[in-house]
Amino acid sequence: MKTVVSGIRPTGQLHLGNYFGALKNFVKMQNDANCYFFIADYHSLTTHPDPQNLHDNVKNALAEYLAAGLDPQTTTIYIQSDLPQTAELSLLLSMHAYVGELERTASFKEKIRKHPDNINAGLLCYPVLMASDILIHRADFVPVGKDQEQHLEMTRKFARRFNTIYGVEYFPESMPYNFGQDLTKVPGLDGSGKMGKSEGNGIYLADPDEVIRKKVMRAVTDQGPTEPNQPMAEPIANIFAIMKIVSHPETYDFYLAKYNNCEIRYGDMKKQLAEDIIAVVAPIRERIADIKANDVYLREVVEAGAAKARASADETMRNVREIMGIKPF
Ligand code: ADP
Ligand code: TRP
């Protein structure tokens, strides 16, 4: 049976990008694989959250992911900091991670650009910790969105390097996963780029229907095509990209044909898109509040998850320590 691992930083509400980029793929695999899903609270410390808020953010992320379809019966769901074995593995792997390659990571360079006042060593070592999350369970697949591709490449590099240095075939090649297709990038509705928390352009799974309608109707458009089969400007391509992900294929084909013969009415298309998004989001939103209010259930989920995750992690750490020459007296 294949092992699948994924995680998310508890830094805000879950949006359509998180859902379609990562979670939906994970949920589809829950019955056919050995699945681990964790809330990456260690990773969120790189941006210094207020200690007062951290726990609530973790709880919120957990409740939203459960509402969106994570199943504690089939998936081991845990909080990253409940598995300090990950931190130990990260320390050990960091001995074979070179500062130069960490400095060249795209996400690190972006952080330097955006937050030049907070370039801490935790940010530099982010990919090593992420590799440890994945390798602690020796994952075969990691369902993530396109923005995580480079982190997955680095995970494989660290795994191969470990195997080569110690002459073992211990760590697998963990592959990003999106049901046999390219990784998904859900664009924003503000004209360019991806949908993201830090981009402030998210449609959230907790958004009420009216808010979703407003956000979609505000999406950037243009005057419309003036000749058949005209290439789309980025904001229009983005609306079509979201429709392709969310709506029925026939709906998408219908509006594409309208665009291609210059009969598109963006207002109609957006109304349809908003309703199709609501059809996905509303049932999830309705579950979020109930789950969030149920502290007993949440505690049961993470306690059972931590125990199962520890069993898998302890085995890995026993092996890794031995391979590296750390042995009991
Ligand atoms: P954000 O970018 O909003 O801060 P995270 O970085 O916490 O979100 O991402 C959590 C997961 O969601 C990752 O697997 C990431 O690849 C995926 N993800 C985030 N935004 C998108 C997007 N716009 N399209 C596809 N996947 C995304
Ligand atoms: N870096 C991921 C993100 O920003 C979150 C993450 C941390 C993760 N560790 C992971 C995702 C391990 C998959 C597997 O979205």
Side-chain angles (χ1 to χ4, degrees):
M1 181 126 91
K2 296 291 185 194
T3 297
V4 178
V5 172
S6 196
I8 184 167
R9 290 169 302 132
T11 51
Q13 291 178 311
L14 201 61
H15 56 74
L16 287 185
N18 306 136
Y19 181 70
F20 286 106
L23 184 72
K24 200 165 171 234
N25 285 313
F26 190 96
V27 165
K28 277 207 241 170
M29 298 163 100
Q30 284 182 122
N31 291 320
D32 310 315
N34 182 21
C35 285
Y36 296 88
F37 194 96
F38 64 94
I39 309 293
D41 57 346
Y42 283 152
H43 274 109
S44 73
L45 295 174
T46 54
T47 48
H48 302 170
D50 184 342
Q52 301 276 1
N53 301 335
L54 182 61
H55 182 73
D56 279 348
N57 292 345
V58 168
K59 191 172 150 188
N60 195 55
L62 178 66
E64 293 202 349
Y65 267 82
L66 287 165
L70 274 192
D71 179 0
Q73 301 298 328
T74 51
T75 288
T76 300
I77 301 167
Y78 63 98
I79 312 301
Q80 189 184 30
S81 59
D82 279 341
L83 197 67
Q85 290 87 336
T86 311
E88 187 189 358
L89 182 58
S90 183
L91 175 85
L92 298 181
L93 290 180
S94 75
M95 306 303 166
H96 298 298
Y98 299 105
V99 171
E101 65 190 340
L102 296 174
E103 282 173 341
R104 282 192 299 275
T105 314
S107 58
F108 183 65
K109 288 201 267 186
E110 194 187 314
K111 292 282 182 215
I112 293 182
R113 205 166 41 76
K114 285 194 181 156
H115 307 284
D117 52 329
N118 178 24
I119 309 163
N120 58 65
L123 275 176
L124 182 69
C125 296
Y126 189 111
V128 184
L129 182 58
M130 179 157 166
S132 305
D133 294 323
I134 295 167
L135 296 174
I136 195 88
H137 303 299
R138 305 208 290 146
D140 299 292
F141 296 117
V142 187
V144 282
K146 189 149 183 64
D147 57 333
Q148 298 299 314
E149 214 162 24
Q150 190 185 26
H151 288 152
L152 263 293
E153 269 167 31
M154 294 177 79
T155 299
R156 290 194 295 281
K157 196 195 273 180
F158 298 145
R160 272 197 300 269
R161 195 176 286 161
F162 180 94
N163 290 347
T164 307
I165 289 174
Y166 296 105
V168 290
E169 273 307 315
Y170 188 64
F171 286 126
E173 297 253 326
S174 308
M175 299 305 289
Y177 200 75
N178 185 24
F179 278 86
Q181 298 159 16
D182 284 346
L183 298 189
T184 306
K185 176 184 151 193
V186 178
L189 284 169
D190 47 356
S192 68
K194 70 159 195 160
M195 183 178 290
K197 283 172 223 120
S198 32
E199 286 73 9
N201 60 3
I203 294 181
Y204 295 101
L205 298 187
D207 278 348
D209 295 353
E210 264 324 296
V211 171
I212 294 175
R213 287 195 188 99
K214 270 202 199 113
K215 286 182 176 175
V216 175
M217 295 317 285
R218 271 206 309 264
V220 176
T221 51
D222 58 15
Q223 304 297 319
T226 49
E227 50 189 84
N229 302 315
Q230 196 173 307
M232 286 177 197
E234 192 182 354
I236 308 304
N238 287 350
I239 298 176
F240 273 96
I242 297 186
M243 184 170 252
K244 187 158 195 173
I245 292 167
V246 176
S247 303
H248 200 275
E250 279 169 18
T251 309
Y252 173 82
D253 291 344
F254 174 83
Y255 285 101
L256 187 60
K258 290 269 182 209
Y259 179 90
N260 282 333
N261 59 26
C262 304
E263 286 174 356
I264 186 92
R265 288 159 54 139
Y266 292 129
D268 292 349
M269 181 180 179
K270 287 189 204 172
K271 271 193 200 131
Q272 177 69 47
L273 179 61
E275 294 317 307
D276 292 344
I277 292 175
I278 288 169
V280 174
V281 169
I284 297 176
R285 182 187 62 223
E286 281 159 22
R287 287 192 293 267
I288 292 176
D290 282 350
I291 295 178
K292 217 186 285 182
N294 196 340
D295 283 336
V296 174
Y297 172 66
L298 292 175
R299 188 173 333 114
E300 276 170 16
V301 168
V302 294
E303 281 179 0
K308 278 201 264 172
R310 274 183 214 129
S312 154
D314 281 339
E315 190 194 328
T316 303
M317 287 319 298
R318 236 189 342 268
N319 292 327
V320 169
R321 282 166 150 253
E322 181 161 340
I323 290 168
M324 292 181 80
I326 303 172
K327 292 188 184 159
F329 270 78

